[in-house]
Amino acid sequence: MTEVSADLGTGRASVGAVLDFAWTANEFTATDAMAATSLTRSTTIDAIDTLVSADVLRELPNARAAGSYRAGRPARRFALSSELGVVIGVDAGDTHLAVTVADPLDRTLVHHRTDLDSGHSPDERRDTILEQLRLRLEEAGSSRDAVLAICIGVAAPVNRDGISPPHPDGFWERTNPGLAAALADWAPIVDVKNDALLAAVAEASDPRGAAIGCRDYVALLAGERFGGGVVVDGHVLHGAHGGVGEGVVFDHIVGVGSAFGLGPALQDQARRALDDGEIAADGPVGELAASDRVDTRALLGLAASGDADAVLVTGRVAETLARVVGVLGSMYDPAKVIVCGAVAESVEPVLTAARGILPEQLHLPAPELLASALGAEVVSLGAVATARRAARERAVPQLAERRLAGR
């Protein structure tokens, strides 16, 4: 039970306890709530009635009306109201924007992904994000008044106030152009968070996540740039400026040399091998390497099929990844490092080679190296999960308090 829930309405912890139970109970009776919360029957019924009067719970047709009543007095049944509002999760990457409007429980109402111009000014970027939020709410048949919580993931460190520190090239300020302030009047709860941190949340909260039940892991966004969401002893690490797991450290690691991720690394190694004459110019990998932009998915597919040139390229990228994971393993001692993002869908040839190299990179036992099953939407999933948690723990209890106070 959350602290806010415990203060709900009349200040009785019983109301908060029943509300917490209702989030996971689907339909329930007073007897169900009493058993789950260890409250007395009269206290449980009083708490339920308080939440019904606040329109947070709704009373369902009883067993007789539902057609399942056989004998005796039919039990009253309850569920969370379907009219509580919506939550919004946003993945605001450098070159893409994904907006998800969902209900507070488990249903996605709208999900829309579009490209962003990486050359946009901070003002243009902020305006684009706000316009997409308006459009997606309209598409979902909802409005700003119904938004309980918003969570936005950005490719930058973010402090606890939603602000990113200055970057030498202005990248972090452009990626997070004052979003916390711009959205302050959109919802009771607005969270701006680092995208890799939200990937870590998704890996532990989504049923397909690779970190279910794991207390020590790193979710490594590794497509265009490296960035890690770090969980130690079950706690997501943050830091004073939100910089835990920031990829700039890899600029200083011999054999890595930059924070650029597996996509750029695959392109660079393919072109270097072609220039050095190590792969055939008329072969499939040589033709990919000679193109304006190397199709990394196709390259990884060739490696998975055993193409010797592709195996050569992916093997060299695996050396880089092993050093990256070795650093993370030495710093945070995770049980798992989960490679996340769109690249995870086809990255297994790199991971296979990296697993053989990894034990040499650190003195501690090497972490398990896995590919995420959540694909390109991993940050979106983490953002929605975070917004739903904020709705459950803070926004809905506050909503109930306002409704009760207004009666």
Side-chain angles (χ1 to χ4, degrees):
M1 179 173 55
T2 68
E3 182 179 349
V4 174
S5 295
D7 291 337
L8 180 63
T10 61
R12 288 171 296 182
S14 58
V15 179
V18 171
L19 179 55
D20 269 0
F21 166 71
W23 281 100
T24 56
N26 196 7
E27 298 179 5
F28 65 94
T29 65
T31 299
D32 298 328
M34 183 177 65
T37 61
S38 300
L39 298 171
T40 66
R41 175 169 289 277
S42 61
T43 301
T44 301
I45 292 173
D46 186 55
I48 289 173
D49 287 341
T50 297
L51 290 166
V52 169
S53 69
D55 295 326
V56 171
L57 294 183
R58 59 190 173 98
E59 186 165 0
L60 304 173
N62 63 35
R64 180 183 287 114
S68 59
Y69 168 62
R70 296 186 180 280
R73 184 178 180 181
R76 298 169 68 195
R77 299 182 304 127
F78 307 90
L80 278 173
S81 171
S82 58
E83 304 297 327
L84 291 175
V86 298
V87 300
I88 302 176
V90 181
D91 173 12
D94 184 30
T95 59
H96 68 269
L97 177 66
V99 178
T100 306
V101 182
D103 72 14
L105 285 171
D106 56 12
R107 190 162 58 102
T108 297
L109 305 176
V110 169
H111 176 75
H112 184 269
R113 188 178 181 93
T114 189
D115 292 335
L116 284 182
D117 186 343
S118 61
H120 274 172
S121 69
D123 288 345
E124 290 172 324
R125 180 181 176 86
R126 182 173 59 251
D127 290 346
T128 298
I129 292 171
L130 293 176
E131 179 61 17
Q132 282 297 314
L133 291 180
R134 294 187 191 97
L135 291 173
R136 297 318 134 205
L137 272 175
E138 181 179 338
E139 184 180 351
S142 192
S143 66
R144 283 173 55 170
D145 292 341
V147 180
L148 297 166
I150 299 175
C151 180
I152 299 186
V154 298
V158 185
N159 70 15
R160 291 175 179 84
D161 295 321
I163 300 169
S164 295
H167 184 272
D169 299 324
F171 177 74
W172 292 341
E173 301 97 309
R174 187 185 63 79
T175 302
N176 177 18
L179 293 175
L183 291 168
D185 61 350
W186 276 66
I189 313 296
V190 176
D191 286 321
V192 182
K193 295 187 178 294
N194 172 259
D195 53 2
L197 184 152
L198 292 177
V201 170
E203 293 295 342
S205 59
D206 190 279
R208 300 166 295 163
I212 298 292
C214 183
R215 293 179 56 82
D216 302 279
Y217 64 95
V218 176
L220 181 64
L221 285 178
E224 293 302 315
R225 296 180 65 85
F226 289 121
V230 181
V231 177
V232 175
D233 294 334
H235 300 287
V236 179
L237 301 189
H238 190 269
H241 307 96
V244 172
E246 171 55 37
V248 69
V249 66
F250 299 117
D251 290 345
H252 310 289
I253 303 299
V254 175
V256 180
S258 79
F260 289 109
L262 296 180
L266 286 163
Q267 293 190 57
D268 290 348
Q269 290 294 345
R271 287 170 175 156
R272 187 173 302 171
L274 177 63
D275 292 343
D276 292 345
E278 296 178 290
I279 60 176
D282 58 353
V285 177
E287 292 176 356
L288 286 173
S291 61
D292 291 338
R293 181 173 176 83
V294 177
D295 185 339
T296 56
R297 185 186 293 270
L299 177 59
L300 290 166
L302 287 167
S305 69
D307 181 276
D309 289 343
V311 169
L312 171 70
V313 171
T314 55
R316 290 178 176 169
V317 174
E319 295 176 8
T320 299
L321 179 61
R323 289 188 177 94
V324 168
V325 176
V327 171
L328 296 172
S330 296
M331 292 173 64
Y332 303 114
D333 191 20
K336 299 179 179 182
V337 172
I338 307 159
V339 175
C340 300
V343 70
E345 297 172 4
S346 50
V347 78
E348 190 57 38
V350 176
L351 302 191
T352 298
R355 291 184 191 111
I357 305 167
L358 183 55
E360 304 169 5
Q361 301 299 316
L362 69 172
H363 293 165
L364 291 166
E368 185 179 5
L369 183 57
L370 303 167
S372 171
L374 304 183
E377 302 305 328
V378 63
V379 176
S380 291
L381 292 168
V384 172
T386 301
R388 281 181 167 145
R389 180 172 180 176
R392 172 177 175 169
E393 295 184 351
R394 294 183 283 167
V396 170
Q398 291 170 10
L399 175 66
E401 288 175 359
R402 291 195 302 272
R403 288 176 175 177
L404 288 169
R407 291 184 181 277

